[in-house]
Amino acid sequence: MTPRIRPRCRVVVDNDWAGDPDGLVALAHHLLSPANRVDAITSTGLHPMFASPRATPADGAAVARELVDLLGLTVPVHAGGAEAIVSAARADDDLPLYVVCGGPLTNVAAAIELAPEVVGRFRLVWVGGSVADGVEEYNRNTDPEAAAGVFAQAGLAIDQFPVETYRQCAVSVAELERWLGGCGEVGAFLWRQFVELPLPDFIEVGEVWPLGDSPPVLVTALDDASSTWTSPTPDRRVFTTVDARLIVGDLLAKLQRFSA
């Protein structure tokens, strides 16, 4: 019997769900974590350089909705999502709100522009950016204006997992195939996203695929005590290491438990 775990936070999960499937793996982890109460899922589009046949926020929302349905949940999924973020931030609720973003900060910036007063009513947990200058990083570079605007907000609490840190969640493609393939219908759905991902010719897949969008679950559902960070300002943390064993071990245990 599993000990009773109560929700300790509300979560809005934002990502470009039709892109790198590690976002969907992270979404499954959030949805299967009882300490999270996922109130909404919001979607951004893909960078035009991918020329993907499913590049719009609506395409991403459709994929995320498939996963929600497989898990038997009723969490609302939005194409775009600024209004959903604002609504969650304005809600009168005792649980703190985390906006978890594993892609460009487009929707977060739009929410702040729509309702600037919500800045102090949520904590942003972002996978993106870099510590070193001049480093290419997809989430920041897809919408640099949004990233700059969000980080310029006084009073916005931010936990950031930059590229140097989120790449620490590296697993091999062989491990992913074995682990996800052994986790029932949900695992098979997630693995299929890796196999069928439409990639342009200039991208070569190697034998390692980082689960880079997974670290925020340490902040929302698990525990970040075994990770490390710096605090450049009182309301901001930049993670320098993450407990990848805890992330991957918990994810697989929850997928296996659900499939059983």
Side-chain angles (χ1 to χ4, degrees), residues 144-199:
E145 290 184 1
V150 168
F151 271 72
Q153 295 296 318
L156 177 61
I158 302 175
D159 286 332
Q160 180 185 7
F161 294 91
V163 62
E164 294 91 344
T165 304
Y166 69 68
R167 283 180 177 166
Q168 295 171 17
C169 289
V171 298
S172 76
V173 173
E175 287 174 317
L176 277 174
E177 181 178 14
R178 179 166 60 88
W179 292 338
L180 297 179
C183 288
E185 192 176 5
V186 172
F189 168 83
L190 292 171
W191 176 241
R192 192 163 63 251
Q193 307 312 306
F194 288 89
V195 174
E196 297 178 358
L197 180 66
L199 289 172

Side-chain angles (χ1 to χ4, degrees), residues 7-229:
R8 68 182 189 186
C9 62
R10 297 177 293 134
V11 182
V12 174
V13 194
D14 180 86
N15 212 320
D16 49 358
W17 305 112
D20 190 334
D22 70 321
L24 289 167
V25 172
L27 178 59
H29 201 169
H30 282 289
L31 292 169
L32 289 170
S33 296
N36 280 350
R37 195 184 84 202
V38 179
D39 283 356
I41 298 164
T42 59
S43 178
T44 55
L46 299 181
H47 194 289
M49 71 177 179
F50 287 117
S52 173
R54 52 178 200 180
T56 69
D59 294 324
V63 180
R65 199 170 287 112
E66 282 189 68
L67 176 59
V68 171
D69 290 345
L70 279 174
L71 292 169
L73 301 172
T74 56
V75 181
V77 181
H78 305 268
E83 295 87 353
I85 294 172
V86 169
S87 177
R90 284 175 169 167
D92 185 13
D93 198 297
D94 291 337
L95 293 178
L97 174 65
Y98 292 85
V99 176
V100 173
C101 182
L105 287 169
T106 306
N107 287 334
V108 179
I112 292 171
E113 183 177 0
L114 181 64
E117 75 277 5
V118 303
V119 162
R121 296 183 61 87
F122 69 91
R123 186 174 194 92
L124 173 64
V125 188
W126 185 45
V127 176
S130 63
V131 173
D133 293 333
V135 175
E136 290 293 319
E137 199 284 311
Y138 175 82
N139 292 342
R140 177 191 59 213
N141 294 354
T142 295
D143 195 342
E145 290 184 1
V150 168
F151 271 72
Q153 295 296 318
L156 177 61
I158 302 175
D159 286 332
Q160 180 185 7
F161 294 91
V163 62
E164 294 91 344
T165 304
Y166 69 68
R167 283 180 177 166
Q168 295 171 17
C169 289
V171 298
S172 76
V173 173
E175 287 174 317
L176 277 174
E177 181 178 14
R178 179 166 60 88
W179 292 338
L180 297 179
C183 288
E185 192 176 5
V186 172
F189 168 83
L190 292 171
W191 176 241
R192 192 163 63 251
Q193 307 312 306
F194 288 89
V195 174
E196 297 178 358
L197 180 66
L199 289 172
D201 293 339
F202 66 84
I203 293 182
E204 257 187 52
V205 176
E207 291 205 28
V208 174
W209 202 308
L211 296 180
D213 286 347
S214 291
V217 79
L218 292 171
V219 176
T220 63
L222 298 177
D223 197 323
D224 55 26
S226 51
S227 301
T228 60
W229 59 84

